[in-house]
Amino acid sequence: MLYSQTVLDHFMHPHNVGKLDNADAEATEGSPACGDQVTMFLKVNPETQVIEDIKFLSYGCASNIATASIITDLVKGKTLEEAKKITWQQAMEELGGLPPIKVHCAVLAVDTLQSAISNYEIAHGLKEVPNFGKDTIIEELKKIIYPKVGEDIVSLKMVKYVGYNNNEVIIDLNLMRFDQWRDNIAEEIREHLKKYPQIKNIKINFPDAETT
Amino acid sequence: MNNHRIYMDNCVTTPVAPEVLEAMNPYFLEKFWFPGTFISTGEETNAALAQFKEIIAQALNTLPEEIHFTSGGTVANNIALKGLMGANAKKGRHIIVSLVDYPDLLTNAAYFEKQGFAVTYLEPDSEAWVSADKLQKAIRPDTILFMNTIVNHVVGTIQPMQDYKKVLEAADHKIFWHADAGQAFGKMHLDVQDLGVDTLSVSAHKIHGPQGIGALFVKKGTKLSQLIHGVTRVDQLQTGGLSIALIAGFAKAVEMTFSDLDANISYLRELSNYLLEKLESTIPDIELNGPRGDKRVCHNINVSISYIEGESITMMLDLNGVTVATGSACASQGLKPNYVLMAMGKNHVQSHGSMKFTLSRYNTKEEIDYTVEKLAEITATLRERSPLYQAIHNKER
């Protein structure tokens, strides 16, 4: 068996798995096209900045699930500053090692945690987004996966236009009315962008429907 | 069911039948001699080999002198392909293969490309089926070789051999034709004379024979340049020693499979249909990859389970005592999704969530019941953890 017993235990019985309602921050990294996708949810005490709760979802292999699980264990009860110092090497060590080809799964899980922390900091004014603009928005759109295909909407050329002016974001999506995922995608875009205090309004346009 | 491993990855390799092991035994312990002349030991092996060859020739409806033993299917493919190309390189520079062929053929095609040959890769349809029209359109005046896999090793698609034959016969010059019959042998009727191929490879360990032995059919009069140089012990194409015991086991496995081939096929077909029905009625959001019905070989079922990843599924099934295969990138050493599924136009999610079940005559409906029951539980567990499933499911509520 290539995996350690700790990996198998976390894979079969992961800790802190699921969705966290009323999360203060969340982040999704990876995509099914890359083979793995992780979402993490944080509940942070605004006074002490201690991570009081954390949960994750994973579309991925055993090592992906196991690493995400162990990271949630490592992070719970820590302050944001402490959590920022957690590395994928540390997660791997806790798991008793991973096969070399699976290391990227550990990296992805840690990246997701760091993105979630960063998202929290941005939303709470603890961190400035350097040069916020169109490119920041496009980077966010690249994290939105068209579920059926498992690739992001930018790679799939579903984003026709992105504009940012006077705190307003305008996005033209090449998704037709009969596309069953269209509303999901629009909602996900809003979800991803809501953490940026600079954005006051988001307009999403479709080729054959009124603006939502 | 707990102590008994359920094995459903028979397209990769199969357990040796007990009767096969028994048939091999004396050739390991007592009658281990290589063939020879004038002395009794060598003559006895000569006679035995002739008999084994006859059994395999009969299964393929060909002549014993057209059968060569090799140490497996891959060696047979290499002896045939490099042999044909070596003997005919001066006649042309173009080769035809398809995007969904067995890796043996595709890696050889890549090798020939490096040697300066031009290769056309035929595109399959969404069921991994490669039409004869595409073959016809790909033929050039300098085409010398067409190679194909009779039954696709991933989704079980049976290729239109009769149509290929018509196309190749109608060509204005000779195009050599090699077929890999690894997944077809023992799973459908193969009449080599009727197929029209020049060379064809089969392997023992896919039909409950031993690993490390196979055979190559070479049509009478077909010239192959020598790939493996050395002393001739058993076969002039694969020189050097070949295990007489493995050949004895191969012959026994062929005898057992072909003594009632129709019954074997119909049992496997019944099992596959039962498995597919169970999967489709038990697990939501599941789809069959490849054709349904007669265009599919009798022992292969390949499905994609949406929103979850195949390595996780196979590992959980493994921990429940069931061995199956997946097309997930995570489970492959190269972290690439399955190339056959991708060539069929499937997307990453469908490839990562694909499960391949390949059955043998030793599988039972009880095993299928247990496997599907476990798979349904595993699917529900992994979907609970999946952000893709949660995103869609929550929005549907």
Side-chain angles (χ1 to χ4, degrees), chain A:
Chain A
M1 186 77 74
L2 273 162
Y3 287 121
S4 71
Q5 192 55 46
T6 318
V7 172
L8 290 181
D9 289 345
H10 276 274
F11 167 56
M12 291 304 280
H13 310 287
H15 307 168
N16 306 308
V17 72
K19 218 179 157 189
L20 190 59
D21 291 325
N22 310 317
D24 297 318
E26 65 173 86
T28 298
E29 293 290 339
S31 78
C34 317
D36 292 314
Q37 189 184 336
V38 180
T39 303
M40 281 199 185
F41 307 90
L42 299 181
K43 191 101 194 112
V44 182
N45 184 319
E47 306 290 315
T48 58
Q49 294 192 0
V50 165
I51 298 172
E52 290 182 334
D53 203 0
I54 176 164
K55 278 191 187 288
F56 80 95
L57 292 171
S58 161
Y59 167 89
C61 57
S63 66
N64 186 276
I65 291 171
T67 317
S69 168
I70 206 141
I71 283 173
T72 59
D73 280 353
L74 290 171
V75 158
K76 222 180 201 176
K78 296 243 162 63
T79 64
L80 292 176
E81 284 308 314
E82 287 166 336
K84 276 198 235 172
K85 292 187 187 124
I86 286 171
T87 62
W88 58 266
Q89 286 93 339
Q90 202 180 337
M92 243 177 78
E93 215 166 281
E94 295 280 335
L95 285 171
L98 282 173
I101 201 161
K102 295 292 181 182
V103 172
H104 75 107
C105 307
V107 176
L108 180 69
V110 175
D111 280 354
T112 313
L113 169 69
Q114 301 307 344
S115 294
I117 293 173
S118 167
N119 288 348
Y120 179 87
E121 291 179 330
I122 292 165
H124 290 78
L126 300 170
K127 181 173 154 187
E128 279 285 305
V129 181
N131 306 319
F132 179 87
K134 205 175 130 176
D135 288 347
T136 323
I137 298 164
I138 292 171
E139 282 311 307
E140 287 295 335
L141 296 180
K142 282 183 186 164
K143 293 177 189 167
I144 295 169
I145 308 298
Y146 186 68
K148 209 179 153 111
V149 182
E151 285 181 58
D152 71 87
I153 57 173
V154 177
S155 301
L156 290 169
K157 303 202 188 322
M158 288 173 172
V159 180
K160 266 171 59 187
Y161 170 80
V162 176
Y164 177 68
N165 201 8
N166 292 332
N167 304 99
E168 186 181 62
V169 176
I170 297 170
I171 298 168
D172 288 354
L173 287 183
N174 200 8
L175 289 173
M176 307 302 272
R177 186 174 307 173
F178 51 75
D179 190 310
Q180 60 170 320
W181 309 119
R182 197 177 70 171
D183 295 340
N184 294 4
I185 299 285
E187 201 175 315
E188 254 198 77
I189 291 175
R190 291 174 190 285
E191 210 132 304
H192 271 257
L193 295 179
K194 75 177 180 199
K195 60 180 171 262
Y196 296 104
Q198 293 90 336
I199 300 172
K200 301 278 179 258
N201 191 28
I202 302 169
K203 261 191 193 169
I204 300 175
N205 302 313
F206 300 109
D208 59 348
E210 69 285 5
T211 303
T212 67

Side-chain angles (χ1 to χ4, degrees), chain B residues 147-166:
Chain B
M147 45 179 156
N148 91 296
T149 314
I150 301 177
V151 167
N152 184 269
H153 57 293
V154 176
V155 293
T157 311
I158 300 171
Q159 303 298 349
M161 297 294 282
Q162 287 298 323
D163 297 340
Y164 294 158
K165 182 181 161 186
K166 279 179 208 149

Side-chain angles (χ1 to χ4, degrees), chain B residues 204-225:
Chain B
H205 72 103
K206 313 273 190 194
I207 57 161
H208 307 290
Q211 294 165 352
I213 196 77
L216 177 67
F217 157 80
V218 181
K219 190 160 84 186
K220 227 176 165 178
T222 305
K223 279 204 179 113
L224 301 184
S225 68

Side-chain angles (χ1 to χ4, degrees), chain B residues 27 45-57 69 251 255:
Chain B
Y27 291 95
T45 306
N46 266 341
L49 268 178
Q51 192 196 334
F52 299 146
K53 217 171 239 193
E54 178 69 39
I55 290 170
I56 289 152
F69 289 113
E255 213 173 67

